[in-house]
Amino acid sequence: FQYGISIAACCQDVVVTNCTSQGDWRHPFEAGDGSSSTDCEGPSRNIRFSNCVAHGGTQAQFDSHPDGEGITFDGCGVLGTHDGAAFKHRSKNSSIINCWARDCVPTTETSVIKISDGASNCTVQGCNLINCAGSGIGIDDGLDDILIDNNIIDGQTDRGIFTFTTG
């Protein structure tokens, strides 16, 4: 499968709540993609996923694209992945708040939470990452104003928080 719920192409002020994905989705919950859409009138802004859960799947279960802005994952969870990150922010002014991941095995991405691709001014706060492989939180270098606050990272097989060199 590819995408479950995808919010793209100039969508603004959208809230998605209490949804669950099950199975081999590439990105069950995704926002901010506008680059491949036709006749886009601007970026997707102010998109919130709240209390959503992804079971299994590949790549980033909660993903934001660089075209988005103000994407928030709040109270969301991931139970087991077998390829990518549980959460991946690539959009600026975005947040991952009070989320959790358990028993995830990121291989393509080496972090359970990944901040990359120009995602400056982002927050990762109050998250619990339990018994996952790889690093807990990975941040590409060159990003500005990243806040990592009050997170629990337990049982990782690599670093808790890691800054990647991209170049």
Side-chain angles (χ1 to χ4, degrees), residues 7-12 32-44 67-68:
I7 312 294
C10 196
C11 290
Q12 297 188 19
D33 186 12
S35 61
S36 62
S37 300
T38 309
D39 297 324
C40 293
E41 299 299 329
S44 297
D67 296 330

Side-chain angles (χ1 to χ4, degrees), residues 60-74:
Q61 300 299 284
F62 291 85
D63 182 41
S64 70
H65 284 254
D67 296 330
E69 183 176 351
I71 312 297
T72 300
F73 304 128
D74 181 15

Side-chain angles (χ1 to χ4, degrees), residues 65-122:
H65 284 254
D67 296 330
E69 183 176 351
I71 312 297
T72 300
F73 304 128
D74 181 15
C76 296
V78 176
L79 180 58
T81 61
H82 54 78
D83 188 9
F87 298 89
K88 185 173 183 180
H89 259 322
R90 299 180 279 169
S91 58
K92 62 185 176 181
N93 304 319
S94 296
S95 302
I96 302 169
I97 301 171
N98 299 319
C99 291
W100 58 271
R102 190 172 67 227
D103 302 324
C104 296
V105 183
T107 54
T108 303
E109 294 290 348
T110 57
S111 301
V112 178
I113 294 176
K114 179 73 186 270
I115 309 297
S116 64
D117 298 319
S120 293
N121 194 28
C122 287

Side-chain angles (χ1 to χ4, degrees), residues 8 26 42 49 76 104 108 111 115 134-135 140 149 154:
R26 180 174 174 218
F49 291 88
C76 296
C104 296
T108 303
S111 301
I115 309 297
S135 297
D140 280 355
D149 180 48
D154 185 28

